[in-house]
Amino acid sequence: MELYDVWFVLIAVLWIGYFFLEGFDFGVGVLTKLLARNRPEKRVLINTIGPVWDGNEVWLLSAGGATFAAFPEWYATLFSGFYLPLLIILVCLIVRGVAFEYRAKRPEEKWQRNWETAIFWTSLIPAFLWGVAFGNIVRGVKIDQNFEYVGNFWDLLNPYALLGGVVTLTLFTFHGAVFTALKTVGDIRERARGLALKVGLVTAVAALGFLLWTQVRDGNTQSLVAMIIAVVALVAALGANQVGREGWSFTFSGVTIVAAVAMLFLSLFPDVMPSSLNPDWSLTVSNASSSPYTLKIMTWCAAIATPIVLLYQSWTYWVFRKRIGTQHIADAAH
């Protein structure tokens, strides 16, 4: 196995970690409108992810930085071709971070309500657009012989990619509902489980259609195995949710995300960005990668830094592991 193959796997792992962690993060943001009935409940939902949301986004920075360093041709074509949707995602993430920090800075109801609305939309939009982006990467886009994107924004809004957006949005919302049930007590916990069932059924239909479409178009034996794992895990997550085993339900919903994203990368390999104009013009792990020396240095850096980051983030989740409810929310006057 060449170093560029190793880095393709590592980048896939970074994206899997990002979608696993930021997935429930986005889902909880969406639930601030769908689940919470009053301001204390919205505060409960926000507090479940308050200590971890910014750490989850580090995985996106790592994935983007690793792509830039290991596969500069891929990075250049991806960010020039997908400029508008990626810009929208970036703006949403900036506004979302500001909303988390500024929401409680003033006591006025209108001030807090506006920031809560911002949290909802800046969670929903990226959750949808990430699916659209990855759907287009797997499907293939208009890349010419110079490895440059020659399509336009409307080419990205095709049925396959839009279905991918629906899948990520519903799957992340389901993941967030299960996480909410795991992290809360009382009535909001029960309602989160009920909403998780409804969203999970919609997710199952959309995900099954998208994964089957992917397998028929670009699949292989490895991607088929990943698809089966994703489907079985989603069914198991729904079953565990129904019997009140939130920990197992969250684990299985996470496995669903891991297996589904892994399937996309397995379907993609050895391409990193297929050309829909001519397969010979596709970006691959070999023609899009950095020099062997660059990859070697990156490998040593990753081997040292990654375990430290994983240990620190695991410790963070352990510290903030307890459930919360509206009784833990201090009166606004205080």
Side-chain angles (χ1 to χ4, degrees):
M1 178 180 286
E2 301 290 341
L3 275 179
Y4 48 67
D5 296 324
V6 172
W7 273 96
F8 178 85
V9 174
L10 291 176
I11 288 172
V13 170
L14 289 172
W15 280 110
I16 288 171
Y18 174 66
F19 286 140
F20 178 91
L21 295 172
E22 192 85 305
F24 71 76
D25 196 319
F26 284 145
V28 171
V30 173
L31 293 178
T32 57
K33 287 286 188 183
L34 302 183
L35 182 64
R37 292 176 174 174
N38 49 47
R39 176 133 295 107
E41 289 190 352
K42 289 183 179 181
R43 291 176 64 186
V44 168
L45 290 177
I46 293 172
N47 285 356
T48 62
I49 59 174
V52 298
W53 68 268
D54 48 355
N56 295 343
E57 291 187 356
V58 171
W59 288 76
L60 173 61
L61 299 176
S62 300
T67 303
F68 172 76
F71 299 100
E73 288 282 358
W74 183 13
Y75 183 92
T77 304
L78 175 65
F79 277 78
S80 59
F82 292 17
Y83 183 83
L84 182 56
L86 291 178
L87 177 62
I88 293 172
I89 290 174
L90 178 61
V91 171
C92 284
L93 294 180
I94 293 172
V95 174
R96 189 169 183 263
V98 173
F100 280 128
E101 298 297 334
Y102 274 72
R103 184 194 138 278
K105 296 299 183 183
R106 288 170 56 180
E108 293 89 345
E109 181 177 347
K110 182 178 179 181
W111 170 272
Q112 296 188 2
R113 185 173 62 248
N114 288 340
W115 285 120
E116 288 162 0
T117 300
I119 291 172
F120 170 76
W121 285 110
T122 56
S123 298
L124 184 149
I125 294 172
F128 176 75
L129 289 181
W130 279 128
V132 174
F134 271 82
N136 277 292
I137 291 174
V138 175
R139 175 181 176 269
V141 292
K142 294 179 179 179
I143 299 175
D144 65 13
Q145 65 270 27
N146 297 316
F147 302 133
E148 295 180 358
Y149 180 74
V150 293
N152 56 53
F153 173 75
W154 302 109
D155 292 329
L156 303 178
L157 304 181
N158 54 80
Y160 175 78
L162 292 174
L163 179 58
V166 172
V167 171
T168 52
L169 175 58
T170 55
L171 181 55
F172 291 170
T173 305
F174 171 69
H175 197 39
V178 171
F179 179 78
T180 300
L182 176 65
K183 286 286 294 178
T184 57
V185 295
D187 180 57
I188 193 170
R189 174 188 177 190
E190 298 301 320
R191 285 188 284 113
R193 285 173 51 197
L195 183 60
L197 174 62
K198 296 175 183 177
V199 177
L201 292 175
V202 175
T203 303
V205 174
L208 183 60
F210 180 73
L211 295 179
L212 283 174
W213 195 345
T214 303
Q215 181 63 28
V216 171
R217 274 181 47 91
D218 307 294
N220 49 52
T221 304
Q222 292 82 1
S223 64
L224 177 61
V225 172
M227 184 189 79
I228 293 172
I229 293 173
V231 172
V232 172
L234 182 55
V235 173
L238 287 167
N241 176 73
Q242 280 301 97
V243 297
R245 300 299 297 271
E246 290 99 343
W248 282 109
S249 183
F250 179 73
T251 299
F252 284 126
S253 69
V255 172
T256 302
I257 292 175
V258 170
V261 179
M263 179 192 177
L264 297 182
F265 278 94
L266 288 169
S267 301
L268 190 60
F269 186 80
D271 292 336
V272 294
M273 208 163 178
S275 171
S276 59
L277 300 178
N278 187 332
D280 294 334
W281 299 343
S282 298
L283 288 168
T284 67
V285 291
S286 57
N287 66 22
S289 69
S290 294
S291 68
Y293 184 69
T294 300
L295 296 178
K296 184 177 180 180
I297 294 176
M298 290 176 58
T299 302
W300 279 107
C301 293
I304 296 171
T306 302
I308 298 173
V309 173
L310 291 176
L311 285 172
Y312 175 77
Q313 193 161 23
S314 298
W315 176 78
T316 303
Y317 277 91
W318 175 256
V319 169
F320 296 102
R321 67 189 181 278
K322 292 186 178 181
R323 295 176 182 266
I324 61 173
T326 52
Q327 66 270 28
H328 300 116
I329 301 298
D331 183 58
H334 300 161

